[in-house]
Amino acid sequence: MSSPHGPTPGPVLHRLRRAPAVAAGAALVTVLAGAPGAQATPGQRIDPRDPDLGPNVTVFGPDTPQDEIQQAMDALHAKQVDAEMSTDRHAVYFLPGTYGSDADPLQFGVGYYTEVAGLGASPDDVTVNGAIEVRNRCLGDDANPNCIALVNFWRTISNLALDVNTAGQGGCEATTNFWAVSQAVSMRRLDVRGPLSLMDYCSAGPQFASGGFIADSRFDTAVTNGSQQQWLTRNSELGGGWSNGVWNQVFAGVEGAPSEAGFPAEPYTTLDTTPVSREKPYLFVDDDGRYQVRVPAAQKDTSGISWADGPTPGRTVPITDFYIARPGDSVATINRHLARGKHLLLTPGVYDVARSIKVKRPGTVVLGMGHATLTAVDGAVPLTVADTAGVVVAGVTIDAGTVESPVLLQVGRADRSPWRDRVDTWRDRLCERSALWAAIDPRCTTGENPVTLSDVYFRVGGPHVGKVDVALEVNADDVLIDHTWVWRGDHGVEGFPTDGSEGVNGDSMRWRTNTGRTGVVVNGDRVTATGLFVEHFQEHNTVWNGEDGTVVLYQNELPYDPPTQADWTQPDGTLGWAGYKVGDHVERHRLFGAGVYVFNQNDPDIVTENGFAVPQAPGVRLHHIMTVNLSAGTIEHVVNGVGDAVPPSTSGSPEFVVDYPAP
């Protein structure tokens, strides 16, 4: 996020409770009151037509009076719109049917830590006639309103059709459906009929927005990018095209995407197909009223939406095959159910995790609802995933705790010894040559059925002090990372002084206290990332050591808060750490559409030598990369001494490299 300033958190109201669930077509039951439900028991029984999804899940039916829906959604938005650092988490679901009408549209906003989704098997099973919006937040005063979307994080909309209807809003606000967001936000499985803008151009300035993600969605009218600095659109249809761009706008497998031929004057990076993709699992209700989770299959070299000609390819898992967890459930209980073959559904809330949740069995699904958050306690690693086929982790946020953790999410074991590499080579040969072995060894299918992380977010600092060495560590081969934001917070409510006594806005204290060495370390081979956002870590933000890695859109801001150049200098004397580092031994790597930004607010004279650092190897190729200054500090070169400097005098004007090495 490209802003040095953060807001003050809003008031915390009562939790939005969900009364006993109702079948499709029945009325909504929600009230504002009460405390979270009781801890789930080991002998959990689940009614497939009426699962208990906890107090912070609300389900609407098409016969719910619209004024009740409107009142509930307005109350939730008012509660969450300024709740950036709160512990409240919410999921809102719509059963199949139509909500709102031409004469009386349903219009509501989506605040922090809120998921809004349809419960149909297809997006078109749930239609909202109206608007589902995120607007700028005005963080200043009357003289300087400072209306921006730069801190509009952590919200989700998916699996529904939106007939845009802004009737009754009047003036500028009636011109489009606004989705003005920045980081840790996703739009998936949408059918949007009508105008959509990714910036809010109606409020006072500067109206900045700073990134997001669209996948598996169809739009019949031009999408207005506006002030969005970076964005990834993957496997979608743009029937009306895409309007304008700022720095790095990336499209992969998108029908109707703009051409990249005019780069960098037109900052588009366009891949005809997505190399590896898997759509995020989604909850739905079948024709008999039973709750199910659809787990899409992995695909290679695809374009367009997955649901155009019928159900998204994949498998359906009944909700009775899940352990439905609540905050307060013990990790021992969760791990016991995982070991017995259950999948894991994390209902909305914050989970304090003092020992690892361990996902070991092939094909296990871990699905978070309403931005469910795992917080490390006493230096624990909150989540580990074995090197096995088909595990999917989706919709989960992982926070560092006050005691340093070695890692927040580890995929595959870290001990990649020469002996283990020889065993892996031997296993790979058996997989290729023996059909019998391939049938019994789940690791033989990891390439076709990769471990997948979808909308998995990481945070170090913000609501409380955080400490970690590495946030995300990928040691397994053939892993897919489909949209992540790995954030060492540049602002928060940790209690640092704001009067300048410990440095500008207390950031000298933040540098020493909210510690995170590296955001992402990839040691596995054939790892693919689509939408990799990593910000503010204290050395290299991303280190990629595995072979045959592919990244489609990378966005990075270097840390704002090094107190001095000495704090931002490597032991060998190199000035600063590149925001994206490919290991010196790597021979094959591809990167499409990437930016590294600098804003050294504590010491504007700090220098970083290179935004990107990669080995000189024929198979290491970077396509459409850039650096930019956000008004303080300097990056001397884009990559390996190539590309001009971006000092403060160039603020807002990127330095581009079309291809490295040059063809």
Side-chain angles (χ1 to χ4, degrees):
M1 103 145 190
S2 301
S3 170
H5 304 295
T8 301
V12 178
L13 306 181
H14 295 291
R15 293 179 184 273
L16 183 69
R17 289 187 60 86
R18 174 182 175 272
V22 292
L28 159 77
V29 274
T30 88
V31 293
L32 286 168
Q39 178 175 321
T41 61
Q44 187 181 66
R45 294 185 178 182
I46 300 172
D47 182 342
R49 292 180 174 81
D50 186 19
D52 184 355
L53 300 176
N56 289 336
V57 174
T58 301
V59 179
F60 295 106
D63 294 340
T64 305
Q66 184 167 321
D67 60 347
E68 293 185 25
I69 299 177
Q70 190 72 64
Q71 181 180 13
M73 295 309 297
D74 288 348
L76 180 59
H77 180 253
K79 176 173 176 284
Q80 296 299 116
V81 67
D82 293 314
E84 181 182 359
M85 299 299 170
S86 81
T87 58
D88 288 328
R89 306 288 185 270
H90 296 278
V92 178
Y93 295 107
F94 291 85
L95 290 163
T98 298
Y99 301 82
S101 63
D102 289 343
D104 186 17
L106 176 63
Q107 302 169 352
F108 58 86
V110 181
Y112 284 99
Y113 310 113
T114 302
E115 175 186 7
V116 176
L119 286 174
S122 166
D124 291 328
D125 290 342
V126 174
T127 298
V128 174
N129 187 326
I132 304 174
E133 297 192 291
V134 180
R135 299 287 186 87
N136 288 339
R137 294 176 65 209
C138 296
L139 306 177
D141 52 28
D142 291 342
N144 179 25
N146 191 29
C147 297
I148 55 174
L150 291 176
V151 291
N152 283 351
F153 310 145
W154 302 304
R155 58 204 81 194
T156 301
I157 179 174
S158 65
N159 200 32
L160 54 80
L162 176 61
D163 286 340
V164 177
N165 184 343
T166 58
Q169 294 195 29
C172 181
E173 285 75 12
T175 57
T176 189
N177 189 105
F178 293 102
W179 188 258
V181 293
S182 296
Q183 272 91 3
V185 290
S186 70
M187 309 180 80
R188 295 180 181 264
R189 288 180 63 81
L190 298 181
D191 193 0
V192 179
R193 300 183 281 261
L196 177 81
S197 175
L198 302 177
M199 73 171 288
D200 175 359
Y201 48 72
C202 292
S203 68
Q207 304 169 349
F208 296 147
S210 183
F213 177 85
I214 290 171
D216 202 23
S217 295
R218 179 168 64 194
F219 303 85
D220 71 354
T221 304
V223 175
T224 299
N225 172 269
S227 61
Q228 283 290 348
Q229 295 161 1
Q230 60 278 318
W231 195 280
L232 174 62
T233 306
R234 177 184 65 68
N235 289 79
S236 293
E237 295 181 9
L238 298 175
W242 187 272
S243 173
N244 75 287
V246 180
W247 294 335
N248 48 327
Q249 315 289 309
V250 181
F251 305 84
V254 176
E255 299 175 12
S259 168
E260 67 168 41
F263 188 88
E266 297 177 330
Y268 302 132
T269 302
T270 302
L271 288 69
D272 291 338
T273 61
T274 302
V276 182
S277 62
R278 186 203 296 269
E279 303 308 331
K280 181 180 176 181
Y282 54 94
L283 192 67
F284 74 99
V285 175
D286 67 16
D287 291 341
D288 293 324
R290 294 172 300 191
Y291 282 71
Q292 316 262 15
V293 173
R294 185 68 173 175
V295 185
Q299 307 282 339
K300 292 186 177 181
D301 299 317
T302 55
S303 64
I305 57 178
S306 70
W307 43 273
D309 301 316
T312 295
R315 61 193 171 106
T316 295
V317 180
I319 199 165
T320 51
D321 286 355
F322 282 79
Y323 176 68
I324 301 177
R326 306 270 195 95
D329 285 3
S330 73
V331 172
T333 297
I334 291 172
N335 281 340
R336 184 162 57 250
H337 283 278
L338 288 170
R340 292 173 178 171
K342 287 285 190 178
H343 305 278
L344 178 61
L345 192 66
L346 296 166
T347 60
V350 176
Y351 297 72
D352 291 330
V353 182
R355 55 183 287 198
S356 298
I357 297 172
K358 298 180 179 180
V359 182
K360 299 179 179 180
R361 298 174 65 95
T364 300
V365 177
V366 177
L367 180 60
M369 307 170 71
H371 294 258
T373 302
L374 309 178
T375 300
V377 174
D378 293 335
V381 177
L383 184 61
T384 65
V385 176
D387 183 359
T388 189
V391 172
V392 179
V393 181
V396 178
T397 297
I398 307 178
D399 277 5
T402 57
V403 177
E404 183 176 285
S405 297
V407 65
L408 298 179
L409 170 56
Q410 185 180 72
V411 181
R413 294 175 58 184
D415 56 343
R416 292 181 65 89
S417 64
W419 175 85
R420 185 181 173 213
D421 286 342
R422 287 194 294 271
V423 170
D424 286 347
T425 300
W426 174 78
R427 186 197 300 266
D428 290 344
R429 290 173 179 171
L430 273 177
C431 290
E432 293 172 1
R433 298 175 183 177
S434 170
L436 177 60
W437 184 269
I440 63 175
D441 187 346
R443 285 191 56 193
C444 290
T445 61
T446 54
E448 291 72 35
N449 193 13
V451 171
T452 303
L453 311 178
S454 296
D455 294 350
V456 177
Y457 309 132
F458 301 81
R459 180 168 57 184
V460 182
H464 49 75
V465 167
K467 298 177 184 290
V468 72
D469 185 30
V470 175
L472 170 61
E473 181 180 277
V474 178
N475 301 307
D477 298 335
D478 301 294
V479 172
L480 172 61
I481 304 168
D482 185 46
H483 188 220
T484 187
W485 186 39
V486 188
W487 187 55
R488 177 179 166 266
D490 62 283
H491 66 273
V493 292
E494 309 96 331
F496 300 138
T498 59
D499 60 1
S501 60
E502 296 291 342
V504 178
N505 291 325
D507 280 336
S508 293
M509 184 174 285
R510 178 171 279 110
W511 178 260
R512 309 293 181 201
T513 307
N514 277 347
T515 54
R517 179 174 62 89
T518 305
V520 176
V521 174
V522 176
N523 296 317
D525 297 336
R526 300 178 301 279
V527 173
T528 299
T530 49
L532 186 59
F533 298 78
V534 188
E535 296 190 308
H536 308 309
F537 284 82
Q538 294 174 294
E539 293 185 9
H540 295 301
N541 276 254
T542 296
V543 176
W544 204 289
N545 293 318
E547 291 288 357
D548 298 300
T550 301
V551 177
V552 180
L553 190 136
Y554 178 73
Q555 185 267 336
N556 167 246
E557 286 182 358
L558 299 175
Y560 290 180
D561 56 340
T564 68
Q565 182 71 65
D567 295 292
W568 187 241
T569 297
Q570 298 185 39
D572 65 2
T574 301
L575 298 178
W577 281 264
Y580 189 90
K581 167 69 176 175
V582 177
D584 294 340
H585 63 282
V586 173
E587 297 180 355
R588 297 173 304 279
H589 185 86
R590 299 186 301 167
L591 172 63
F592 300 91
V596 173
Y597 313 158
V598 62
F599 178 66
N600 294 128
Q601 67 174 357
N602 271 358
D603 182 356
D605 295 327
I606 286 177
V607 174
T608 302
E609 187 169 314
N610 287 289
F612 300 81
V614 303
Q616 300 282 354
V620 176
R621 312 290 301 183
L622 312 184
H623 182 63
H624 290 190
I625 62 174
M626 48 84 68
T627 55
V628 68
N629 194 297
L630 304 179
S631 79
T634 297
I635 301 176
E636 290 284 3
H637 303 285
V638 178
V639 54
N640 291 8
V642 174
D644 290 341
V646 285
S649 61
T650 68
S651 180
S653 298
E655 178 67 22
F656 292 98
V657 170
V658 177
D659 286 290
Y660 183 85

